[in-house]
């Protein structure tokens, strides 16, 4: 494993990330707040060695952006299988390469019988996970920057990254909305749904329902700049940016879903906010889900 501290200033690192984020498969796990007690290192990964894209029937597997096969096997088992291609290294650093991505609620249809989604209007995979063998790891204030790689050309890549960080970015496109936000339901429709939720709760049919409302707006520019603006105004310790062929996902959250420490798995979800930006028609969508704070701890 190649590990070396990259001699870049915070502004040079900002410029380097701006240059790298254009690539499909970029994933940024961002401890955006420099003073939050849950902030730690941030992880920036790009050019995954393997990529796994799953829908409700099959998983497509890519190596260096080339399709190498499909499978109907459990998609998360496939992630674990390809994760074994990254050598396990005993390191003091919190992350030295591995799996980063997302999967949505509908992926549950691969594991149990669920009603078909009524409105599949977001043309993104149900699961997108990259297996990364090179990353940048750095502190929240953009200091102590490490380049970590398991590739044979790691030394050459290190030199290239250092050179790119010193060059001005000529492809920066400011982000701006070109329409007002629009909800996917009227106030009357929302009130009707809310009353129905109360009926379910009071009758004992369930104990919790997340009534989500989606907002849309048209936009121009680079989604990365939208993320930078979002993190500036809401510097959450568990933020992320993921770019794939179909669009970009921007997430800002104060919560940690799971934390694994020795033999204990700690879970403490609060709420989530995610922006999904679709490049095919330049429409931005925002969906919020809220639930009661709940912290649990489970031994495994």
């Amino acid at each position: 494993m190649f590990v070396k501290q990259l001699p870049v200033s915070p502004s040079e690192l900002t410029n380097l990330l701006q240059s790298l984020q254009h690539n499909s498969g970029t994933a940024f796990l961002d401890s955006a707040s420099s003073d939050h007690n849950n902030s730690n290192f941030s992880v920036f990964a790009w050019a995954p060695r393997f990529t796994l894209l799953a829908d409700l029937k099959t998983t497509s597997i890519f190596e260096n952006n080339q399709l190498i096969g499909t499978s109907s096997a459990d998609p998360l088992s496939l992630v674990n299988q390809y994760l074994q291609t990254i050598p396990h290294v005993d390191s003091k650093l919190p992350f030295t390469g591995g799996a980063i991505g997302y999967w949505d609620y509908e992926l549950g249809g691969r594991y149990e019988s669920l009603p078909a989604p009524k409105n599949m209007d977001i043309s993104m995979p149900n699961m997108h996970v990259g297996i990364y063998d090179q990353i940048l790891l750095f502190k929240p204030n953009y200091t102590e920057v490490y380049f970590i790689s398991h590739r044979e050309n790691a030394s050459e890549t290190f030199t290239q990254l250092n050179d790119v960080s010193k060059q001005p970015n000529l492809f920066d496109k400011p982000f701006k909305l070109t329409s007002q936000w629009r909800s996917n339901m009227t106030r009357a429709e929302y009130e009707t749904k809310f009353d129905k939720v109360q009926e379910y709760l009071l009758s004992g049919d369930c104990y919790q329902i997340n009534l989500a409302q989606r907002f849309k707006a048209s936009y121009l520019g680079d989604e990365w700049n939208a993320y930078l603006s979002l993190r500036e105004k809401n510097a959450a310790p568990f933020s992320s940016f993921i770019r794939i062929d179909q669009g970009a996902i921007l997430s800002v959250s104060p919560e940690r879903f799971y934390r694994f420490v020795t033999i204990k798995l700690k879970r403490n979800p609060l709420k989530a906010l995610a922006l999904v930006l679709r490049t095919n028609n330049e429409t931005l969508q925002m969906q919020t889900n809220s639930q009661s704070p709940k912290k649990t701890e489970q031994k495994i």
Side-chain angles (χ1 to χ4, degrees):
M1 182 177 72
F2 180 96
V3 180
K4 191 172 182 180
Q5 201 160 346
L6 198 64
V8 295
S9 66
S11 62
E12 290 171 340
L13 178 59
T14 298
N15 189 57
L16 178 59
L17 301 187
Q18 177 78 42
S19 299
L20 294 175
Q21 61 84 19
H22 294 288
N23 300 300
S24 179
T26 293
F28 184 26
L29 305 182
D30 184 14
S31 289
S33 174
S34 60
D35 55 1
H36 195 284
N37 60 347
N38 284 329
S39 289
N40 200 341
F41 279 93
S42 294
V43 178
F44 188 95
W46 74 103
R49 179 181 175 188
F50 295 101
T51 304
L52 292 86
L53 308 181
D55 57 25
L56 297 184
K57 294 183 179 180
T58 60
T59 301
S60 300
I61 305 159
F62 297 80
E63 183 175 8
N64 297 322
N65 293 324
Q66 299 296 317
L67 181 66
I68 61 173
T70 59
S71 174
S72 59
D74 173 5
L76 296 181
S77 293
L78 290 171
V79 169
N80 187 59
Q81 174 185 330
Y82 283 91
L83 187 57
Q84 306 313 309
T85 64
I86 306 296
H88 175 73
V89 179
D90 187 10
S91 173
K92 294 181 180 180
L93 297 174
F95 188 71
T96 57
I100 304 175
Y102 76 85
W103 50 86
D104 61 17
Y105 287 111
E106 280 71 27
L107 190 68
R110 294 288 295 268
Y111 302 94
E112 58 182 300
S113 178
L114 296 174
K118 293 182 178 180
N119 188 15
M120 295 289 289
D121 61 340
I122 298 179
S123 57
M124 303 181 87
N126 297 108
M127 183 188 82
H128 183 289
V129 175
I131 307 297
Y132 296 88
D133 56 2
Q134 63 176 10
I135 64 167
L136 292 171
L137 188 72
F138 47 90
K139 288 288 189 178
N141 55 1
Y142 280 24
T143 60
E144 199 174 331
V145 183
Y146 295 93
F147 171 60
I148 303 169
S149 176
H150 300 273
R151 300 186 181 184
E152 293 181 358
N153 65 341
S155 181
E156 292 84 353
T157 303
F158 178 87
T159 300
Q160 292 171 359
L161 293 174
N162 193 38
D163 292 342
V164 170
S165 70
K166 308 297 191 289
Q167 299 171 4
N169 192 309
L170 303 178
F171 304 100
D172 187 23
K173 297 180 180 180
F175 179 92
K176 66 176 181 179
L177 295 180
T178 57
S179 73
Q180 297 294 320
W181 287 102
R182 305 180 303 276
S183 174
N184 66 332
M185 63 184 79
T186 65
R187 181 182 181 90
E189 290 172 333
Y190 183 85
E191 290 176 347
T192 298
K193 294 175 185 292
F194 184 85
D195 290 341
K196 192 67 176 178
V197 166
Q198 300 305 304
E199 292 179 14
Y200 283 129
L201 295 174
L202 294 174
S203 65
D205 290 339
C206 57
Y207 68 91
Q208 176 178 298
I209 295 177
N210 294 335
L211 178 58
Q213 186 174 181
R214 181 185 295 172
F215 296 85
K216 290 185 179 182
S218 299
Y219 72 97
L220 293 173
D222 192 335
E223 300 88 354
W224 175 258
N225 288 325
Y227 175 72
L228 295 182
S229 178
L230 193 63
R231 78 187 294 273
E232 180 181 357
K233 294 177 173 58
N234 186 6
F238 304 107
S239 302
S240 62
F241 175 91
I242 298 176
R243 184 184 295 284
I244 64 175
D245 288 339
Q246 295 83 354
I249 297 176
L250 289 63
S251 180
V252 175
S253 177
E255 68 179 329
R256 176 196 290 123
F257 277 103
Y258 293 101
R259 183 186 183 191
F260 181 72
V261 182
T262 59
I263 63 170
K264 290 184 177 181
L265 182 66
K266 298 181 178 181
R267 182 174 70 91
N268 52 326
L270 296 172
K271 61 181 179 178
L273 168 64
L275 295 177
V276 178
L277 292 90
R278 300 166 58 188
T279 57
N280 55 351
N281 62 356
E282 293 189 319
T283 298
L284 182 149
Q285 301 186 352
M286 178 174 70
Q287 181 167 333
T288 63
N289 292 290
S290 300
Q291 58 184 18
S292 300
K294 186 177 183 180
K295 296 185 179 181
T296 62
E297 183 175 306
Q298 178 178 348
K299 286 190 176 183
I300 60 173

